[in-house]
């Protein structure tokens, strides 16, 4: 199909909910993709942190092919082996007793945590959840209500009530926001869409103490930062190895290397006469048709096996540190800050980025740089107004990082010359 014909089909038949770049990707391998015109690009966005093993990974392809030849779907009215095995593995990775619900996306996973919190608080009339400024929790109505960014809420009022947003790493603000109706705290240990902002160890430990003191649930949104991206299976453990145990965790993105799978895990600890927390959402309280089907769970198991057997957690830690060090050493007057943990890396641009680079571009700086890099052969993801995200596969090589850095340097070079 000619590029012009494909654009016409999108314009005529696909809802314009995305500001798509003028690029048609036809195939991928590892951290490289090729367009329909045969152009090769280095992909350090990985489908927004989804392709944690890169494109077309042979182990995932083999697992999906084998499972698809046996059984694709049964609904959740019946048991399947891949779902049970993946739930067991996820609980082992958390290293706390608990149970998992499978769904299709990160938004659904967070929706499940929000429903869990409301069910938990229903016995005492509590329903309010504290979340954080610049957070992002998905595009469902509950997700945008929980999100601490106004831009996702415009035009969708009335929102779901019961969410309070306070600044990240401000324990005093959290303490002041806790009231008689508060039932939970939902936090991203590392904000992804919000611009790669890390919670501090002191903050996470303080949240746990506040939850224990006020009988609140501590819920971690690890949709982007979980399952290896930070160099640990548990993103929060990369920040504070000890002293914090969550009551619930949401995952998606990198869990199945591109196959649509989300999940939320709930801790097995005693509540009251209603039984353990992980059994609170009993039959008829929550569900999904496709979530956790055998094919996606087979993909998830293959991803976890590949990360574990090849020690990609250590690799992500070491290559991430190398990448961040190289970015900090760029010496570009256009770079304000580099924030990084493992292979979750944000590069914040200076406020007058466009002026210094001589760009006549109405778009925010992060989006303008994303387009410049794309045209030069590197895919990255914007995060907010002035930050771009580097989210390469966990098996990325130093050579591939060097290739991405060379493209970045070439794009930023004119400003260095001007200064």
């Amino acid at each position: 199909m000619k590029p012009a014909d494909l654009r016409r089909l999108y314009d005529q038949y696909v809802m314009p909910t995305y500001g798509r770049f003028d690029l048609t990707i036809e195939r991928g391998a590892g951290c490289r993709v090729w367009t329909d015109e045969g152009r090769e690009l280095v992909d350090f966005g990985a489908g927004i942190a989804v392709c944690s093993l890169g494109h077309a990974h042979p182990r995932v392809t083999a697992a999906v092919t084998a499972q698809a030849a046996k059984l694709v779907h049964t609904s959740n009215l019946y048991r399947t082996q891949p779902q049970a095995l993946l739930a067991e593995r996820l609980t082992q990775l958390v290293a706390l007793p608990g149970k998992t619900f499978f769904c299709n996306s990160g938004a659904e996973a967070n929706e499940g945590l929000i429903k869990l919190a409301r069910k938990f608080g229903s016995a005492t009339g509590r329903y309010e959840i504290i979340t954080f400024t610049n957070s992002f929790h998905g595009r469902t109505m509950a997700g945008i209500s929980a999100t601490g960014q106004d831009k996702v809420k415009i035009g969708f009022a009335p929102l779901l009530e019961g969410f309070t947003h306070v600044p990240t790493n401000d324990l005093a603000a959290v303490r002041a926001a806790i009231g008689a109706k508060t039932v939970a705290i939902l936090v991203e240990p590392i904000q992804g869409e919000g611009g790669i902002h890390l919670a501090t160890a002191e903050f996470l430990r303080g949240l746990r103490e506040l939850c224990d003191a006020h009988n609140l649930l501590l819920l971690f949104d690890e949709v982007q930062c979980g399952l290896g991206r930070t160099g640990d299976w548990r993103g929060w453990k990369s920040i504070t190895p000890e002293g914090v145990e969550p009551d619930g965790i949401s995952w998606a993105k990198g869990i199945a290397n591109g196959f649509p799978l989300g999940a939320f895990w709930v801790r097995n600890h005693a509540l009251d006469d209603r039984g353990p927390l992980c059994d609170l959402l009993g039959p008829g309280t929550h569900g999904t048709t496709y979530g956790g089907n055998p094919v996606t769970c087979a993909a998830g198991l293959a991803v976890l096996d590949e990360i574990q057997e090849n020690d990609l957690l250590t690799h992500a830690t070491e290559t991430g540190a190398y990448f961040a060090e190289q970015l900090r050493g760029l010496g570009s007057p256009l770079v304000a800050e580099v924030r990084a943990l493992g292979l979750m890396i944000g590069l914040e641009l200076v406020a007058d980025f466009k002026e210094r680079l001589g760009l006549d571009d109405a778009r925010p700086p992060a989006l303008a740089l994303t387009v410049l890099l794309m045209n030069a052969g590197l895919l990255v993801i914007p995060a907010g107004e002035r930050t771009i995200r580097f989210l390469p596969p966990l098996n990325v090589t130093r050579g591939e990082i060097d290739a991405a850095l060379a493209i970045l340097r070439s794009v930023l070079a004119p400003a260095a010359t001007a200064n």
Side-chain angles (χ1 to χ4, degrees):
M1 182 181 292
K2 294 180 180 178
D5 292 333
L6 185 61
R7 280 195 290 272
R8 179 183 59 77
L9 289 178
Y10 265 89
D11 290 344
Q12 189 167 355
Y13 296 112
V14 180
M15 285 190 181
T17 56
Y18 297 97
R20 296 181 198 273
F21 298 111
D22 188 18
L23 194 72
T24 301
I25 296 175
E26 193 169 76
R27 64 186 176 91
C31 70
R32 293 181 185 271
V33 294
W34 286 263
T35 71
D36 57 343
E37 296 172 320
R39 185 169 164 244
E40 180 180 331
L41 298 99
V42 179
D43 184 2
F44 270 33
I48 316 180
V50 166
C51 299
S52 50
L53 300 179
H55 298 283
H57 192 279
R59 187 168 193 161
V60 178
T61 301
V64 167
T65 302
Q67 183 58 49
K70 290 195 295 185
L71 183 69
V72 171
H73 178 73
T74 67
S75 83
N76 279 298
L77 294 175
Y78 314 102
R79 290 187 287 269
T80 66
Q81 185 169 298
Q83 185 178 116
L85 292 175
L86 185 57
E88 178 187 39
R89 288 287 295 279
L90 291 170
T91 292
Q92 291 169 347
L93 298 181
V94 176
L96 292 169
K99 295 181 180 178
T100 295
F101 177 92
F102 290 103
C103 50
N104 302 281
S105 69
E108 282 185 78
N110 285 328
E111 189 89 15
L113 288 182
I114 292 165
K115 285 185 68 175
L116 172 78
R118 291 215 168 188
K119 189 74 172 174
F120 171 68
S122 63
T124 52
R126 298 182 297 159
Y127 60 91
E128 292 179 353
I129 300 174
I130 296 172
T131 69
F132 296 91
T133 308
N134 291 324
S135 62
F136 181 78
H137 300 293
R139 299 279 184 176
T140 62
M141 284 302 296
I144 63 173
S145 301
T147 292
Q149 300 183 55
D150 290 338
K151 67 181 182 182
V152 305
K153 307 180 184 189
I154 297 171
F156 297 110
L159 300 175
L160 191 67
E161 66 171 312
F163 293 95
T164 301
H165 310 297
V166 299
T168 302
N169 291 331
D170 188 341
L171 278 176
V174 178
R175 192 176 296 108
I178 294 173
K181 299 293 185 184
T182 307
V183 71
I185 297 173
L186 173 63
V187 61
E188 297 167 281
I190 306 162
Q191 292 182 343
E193 201 278 341
I196 314 294
H197 293 284
L198 282 66
T200 65
E202 178 188 16
F203 183 66
L204 293 180
R205 288 195 294 268
L207 293 183
R208 181 69 268 177
E209 291 170 4
L210 286 172
C211 286
D212 291 341
H214 295 275
N215 190 27
L216 313 179
L217 298 183
L218 179 59
L219 308 175
F220 285 163
D221 178 343
E222 296 228 335
V223 166
Q224 188 165 150
C225 71
L227 300 178
R229 177 131 308 265
T230 65
D232 195 294
W233 295 111
R234 303 147 297 181
W236 86 91
K237 283 280 188 181
S238 299
I239 297 171
T240 175
E242 303 297 335
V244 179
E245 294 182 348
D247 298 304
I249 309 168
S250 57
W251 296 295
K253 294 198 181 294
I255 191 172
N257 212 54
F259 288 87
L261 180 63
F264 68 94
W265 171 94
V266 179
R267 188 178 176 188
N268 182 358
H269 68 153
L271 284 178
D272 43 35
D273 58 358
R274 293 180 294 173
L277 183 65
C278 61
D279 288 343
L280 190 58
L281 293 177
T285 62
H286 197 49
T288 174
T289 297
Y290 299 104
N293 79 38
V295 175
T296 59
C297 287
L301 285 165
V303 168
L304 300 184
D305 286 343
E306 184 70 14
I307 293 173
Q308 194 158 20
E309 292 174 16
N310 291 284
D311 196 14
L312 294 183
L313 299 183
T314 300
H315 183 77
T317 300
E318 293 176 351
T319 54
Y322 170 76
F323 193 8
E325 180 184 356
Q326 297 300 309
L327 288 171
R328 292 186 177 110
L330 284 175
S332 172
L334 300 175
V335 176
E337 185 179 15
V338 175
R339 297 182 290 271
L341 192 56
L343 285 170
M344 194 171 183
I345 299 173
L347 184 146
E348 183 174 323
L349 304 170
V350 295
D352 59 347
F353 168 81
K354 291 189 294 185
E355 290 77 5
R356 289 191 182 215
L357 205 54
L359 285 180
D360 182 16
D361 191 328
R363 292 172 292 198
L367 188 53
L369 178 58
T370 296
V371 173
L372 289 175
L373 292 172
M374 184 181 74
N375 292 338
L378 174 63
L379 298 183
V380 300
I381 309 292
E385 294 282 308
R386 291 197 285 125
T387 301
I388 59 170
R389 282 174 281 179
F390 297 99
L391 304 164
L394 305 186
N395 52 8
V396 66
T397 66
R398 289 199 178 195
E400 289 163 338
I401 290 172
D402 290 340
L405 286 165
I407 295 171
L408 179 63
R409 286 192 189 95
S410 72
V411 169
L412 300 182
T417 303
N419 288 271

